[in-house]
Amino acid sequence: MRKLSTWKLKLRMFLATALLFGIIYAILIAIGAFMGFGGPLFYALLGLGIVFIQYLISPKIVELTMNVHYVTEAEAPRLHAMVSELAMNAGIPKPRVGIAEIDVPNAFAFGRSKSDGRVCVTRGILNLLDEEELRAVLGHEISHIKHSDMIVMTLVSAVPLICYYIFWSTLYSRDDDASLIGLAALLAYFLGQLIVLFISRTREYYADQGSIEIGGQPHKLASALYKLVYGSARFDGDDLKQIEGAKAFFLNDVTDARNEINDLKQLDMDMDGTISPGELQRLKYTGVRVGAGARILELISTHPNMLKRIQRLSEFT
């Protein structure tokens, strides 16, 4: 297995994050120049305050939304053993281990910091994946904790929120300068949202790579992703809507699963429902066919296109 360099991923995330905070810095400078420090600045500070509160209470919100209960080693020895080993390999404290009583197969990580990390699996994934596939999935989630993705995404998500509050505060102003700042804030809001989504997709690639580096097998992670798409597609829209607000935490975009099925058929050559080492290695040389529509939809998604994501895993074989 060839270890891939992470500098390109890190550079992309750094530049995108720098651009985000450059946007908010420029808007606040404009506010100071044209309007003093009243008005929109208050809403900018309000936005920061809301993000800070969100950071504090978000673990509890996730627990309630996803119906999480934490399990002891006696209740889930196999799950605890895998999490302990992977956390040790990643060099982080062992996260708390939980099960979400949700039938849609998936897993997620959350928490305020590395020492406060929590890794959870849904009931559905335990009935779908084999042990090595589950191990690769847990490695992905533990990598999110190792990379402090929870904190990073909370911080970068603050920028569009602040821009939105600034725009809203100038919406009914009769001052031309304020209106210009509001328009700039609105444009920055939409641009900021696209950049946040880009950072989110990049961090998914980074977590995939982290899973391989701490003990997951590339073809097992590819198979797990493949199975998760098919597993999610079995559920109707009403079931998926209940967890749509938390889909950014998952390994894949569960609401887009049905659209991804047809594309994924080109991966499983023997149609046995898994991705073998040979099938994954073949992608390294043949590539994948991603339609124009799928490429456009990817721009507004929290997760990378699944075909492109699995093809990148082939580079580790």
Side-chain angles (χ1 to χ4, degrees), residues 11 36 48-49 53 109 122-123 125 142-143 146 160 169 172 183 228 238 247-248 301 303:
L11 179 62
L48 285 173
I53 293 172
T122 66
R123 184 65 66 182
I125 202 173
I142 286 172
S143 293
K146 177 183 179 180
S169 72
Y172 300 106
L183 180 60
L228 290 179
D238 290 337
K247 67 180 183 180
S301 175
H303 292 75

Side-chain angles (χ1 to χ4, degrees), residues 180-191:
L180 286 174
I181 291 174
L183 180 60
L186 180 61
L187 293 174
Y189 167 75
F190 287 113
L191 177 60

Side-chain angles (χ1 to χ4, degrees), residues 132-166:
E132 288 303 318
E133 290 167 348
L134 183 60
R135 177 186 174 86
V137 163
L138 291 172
H140 173 101
E141 298 305 334
I142 286 172
S143 293
H144 275 309
I145 298 174
K146 177 183 179 180
H147 303 149
S148 300
D149 285 345
M150 306 87 71
I151 301 172
V152 171
M153 292 309 300
T154 297
L155 290 176
V156 298
S157 297
V159 176
L161 180 63
I162 291 170
C163 292
Y164 176 79
Y165 278 121
I166 292 173

Side-chain angles (χ1 to χ4, degrees), residues 44-277:
L45 295 175
L46 177 63
L48 285 173
I50 291 173
V51 169
F52 179 68
I53 293 172
Q54 176 185 326
Y55 169 75
L56 293 178
I57 68 173
S58 59
K60 181 56 66 176
I61 292 174
V62 173
E63 289 171 357
L64 294 173
T65 303
M66 303 301 291
N67 195 16
V68 170
H69 72 275
Y70 296 103
V71 291
T72 65
E73 290 190 38
E75 293 173 308
R78 179 168 141 266
L79 202 56
H80 268 275
M82 285 191 281
V83 170
S84 295
E85 182 183 351
L86 290 166
M88 183 176 64
N89 292 347
I92 63 170
K94 180 186 175 183
R96 296 178 70 183
V97 179
I99 295 177
E101 296 300 336
I102 295 172
D103 291 330
V104 178
N106 229 289
F108 52 98
F110 62 104
R112 301 184 190 91
S113 63
K114 293 178 184 179
S115 59
D116 183 50
R118 303 112 189 265
V119 171
C120 297
V121 296
T122 66
R123 184 65 66 182
I125 202 173
L126 294 175
N127 301 323
L128 180 68
L129 304 186
D130 68 30
E131 185 161 335
E132 288 303 318
E133 290 167 348
L134 183 60
R135 177 186 174 86
V137 163
L138 291 172
H140 173 101
E141 298 305 334
I142 286 172
S143 293
H144 275 309
I145 298 174
K146 177 183 179 180
H147 303 149
S148 300
D149 285 345
M150 306 87 71
I151 301 172
V152 171
M153 292 309 300
T154 297
L155 290 176
V156 298
S157 297
V159 176
L161 180 63
I162 291 170
C163 292
Y164 176 79
Y165 278 121
I166 292 173
F167 162 72
W168 187 256
S169 72
T170 63
L171 188 59
Y172 300 106
S173 175
R174 296 181 180 179
D175 186 290
D176 290 341
D177 290 337
S179 297
L180 286 174
I181 291 174
L183 180 60
L186 180 61
L187 293 174
Y189 167 75
F190 287 113
L191 177 60
Q193 289 284 40
L194 291 175
I195 295 173
V196 168
L197 290 172
F198 171 80
I199 293 173
S200 177
R201 293 192 300 272
T202 301
R203 299 198 82 82
E204 290 299 323
Y205 281 124
Y206 199 15
D208 284 348
Q209 182 165 332
S211 174
I212 307 306
E213 291 175 350
I214 64 174
Q217 300 178 58
H219 73 283
K220 286 297 184 178
L221 181 55
S223 269
L225 293 171
Y226 181 69
K227 287 183 177 181
L228 290 179
V229 171
Y230 274 81
S232 301
R234 296 193 189 104
F235 291 84
D236 60 33
D238 290 337
D239 290 325
L240 297 178
K241 280 181 181 178
Q242 296 177 13
I243 56 173
E244 185 171 4
K247 67 180 183 180
F249 288 93
F250 290 154
L251 267 83
N252 66 303
D253 185 345
V254 293
T255 57
D256 195 41
R258 292 187 180 182
N259 296 327
E260 293 178 324
I261 284 180
N262 287 333
D263 288 339
L264 289 178
K265 288 178 180 177
Q266 62 187 277
L267 304 181
D268 186 11
M269 300 301 294
D270 57 11
M271 300 301 292
D272 67 346
T274 65
I275 305 297
S276 68

